[in-house]
Amino acid sequence: GKEIPNPNNLLFSFDAPKIESYISYLIGNGSIVTVFGMNYHNPVLVTIGGVECNFPNSTDSNTTTCFLPKFDSDFETPKDGNLTIHILVGGQTTEADIFVFNEAQRNDPPPASKMKWLIPAIVIPCFLALLCAVAVTIILVKRHKKMKELRKLFKN
């Protein structure tokens, strides 16, 4: 973009952001979170419980909205149940331990590995089939030997 001249080297400063409250709505793979406070503007960075909120947007100086993805299944819940909302605006940060964690915001644990049952499900039947084949082979070899002996007896 085009650089705006600043011959007097004027510096701008903003008041630090403040968090007053929030609302959160569960949807699909996460939550829509709206944080209310003061001194918000874009660009803004929002993290909740150490997880970065996606698509943060300050709609006005008092409201910032973002999408919070679901937490990992092994996410450790804080003892008091509250997570820290952390906001970074214009190089200034603020935080508040007010976000109430809800188990619905956690990903389901990964399904038990299929390998645990898949290996025995393949190996056991194969072993049994091999055992049957060996038994049948032994029986047939013994019969064949008996038949040979009987033929020798009757030929003589």
Side-chain angles (χ1 to χ4, degrees):
K2 184 178 174 185
E3 189 173 316
I4 299 172
N6 188 3
N8 297 327
N9 290 324
L10 296 175
L11 300 176
F12 296 93
S13 66
F14 300 93
D15 288 333
K18 290 184 173 77
I19 298 171
E20 294 176 350
S21 63
Y22 78 96
I23 55 174
S24 174
Y25 298 100
L26 286 168
I27 61 161
N29 290 330
S31 303
I32 299 293
V33 178
T34 302
V35 181
F36 302 101
M38 297 187 315
N39 306 321
Y40 300 153
H41 61 82
N42 291 315
V44 60
L45 177 69
V46 180
T47 60
I48 299 175
V51 174
E52 188 172 336
C53 238
N54 298 324
F55 317 110
N57 182 41
S58 293
T59 52
D60 60 46
S61 64
N62 301 319
T63 310
T64 293
T65 302
C66 62
F67 175 77
L68 178 65
K70 284 192 172 184
F71 292 86
D72 290 337
S73 60
D74 59 355
F75 178 77
E76 195 167 317
T77 311
K79 305 236 181 307
D80 65 1
N82 287 354
L83 303 177
T84 301
I85 300 175
H86 183 95
I87 294 185
L88 171 65
V89 176
Q92 299 182 80
T93 64
T94 187
E95 56 186 39
D97 298 329
I98 61 172
F99 191 89
V100 179
F101 181 77
N102 178 335
E103 281 299 320
Q105 292 164 315
R106 183 189 306 271
N107 275 320
D108 295 330
S113 173
K114 290 182 179 179
M115 294 307 284
K116 287 181 181 175
W117 62 264
L118 190 59
I119 291 173
I122 293 172
V123 170
I124 292 172
C126 288
F127 178 74
L128 291 175
L130 181 63
L131 198 60
C132 288
V134 168
V136 168
T137 302
I138 290 171
I139 291 170
L140 290 175
V141 167
K142 283 185 177 182
R143 270 193 181 168
H144 181 71
K145 285 182 179 178
K146 276 188 181 179
M147 288 296 282
K148 261 188 163 179
E149 287 177 22
L150 285 174
R151 283 189 186 147
K152 271 187 178 179
L153 286 175
F154 286 118
K155 280 191 177 177
N156 292 336

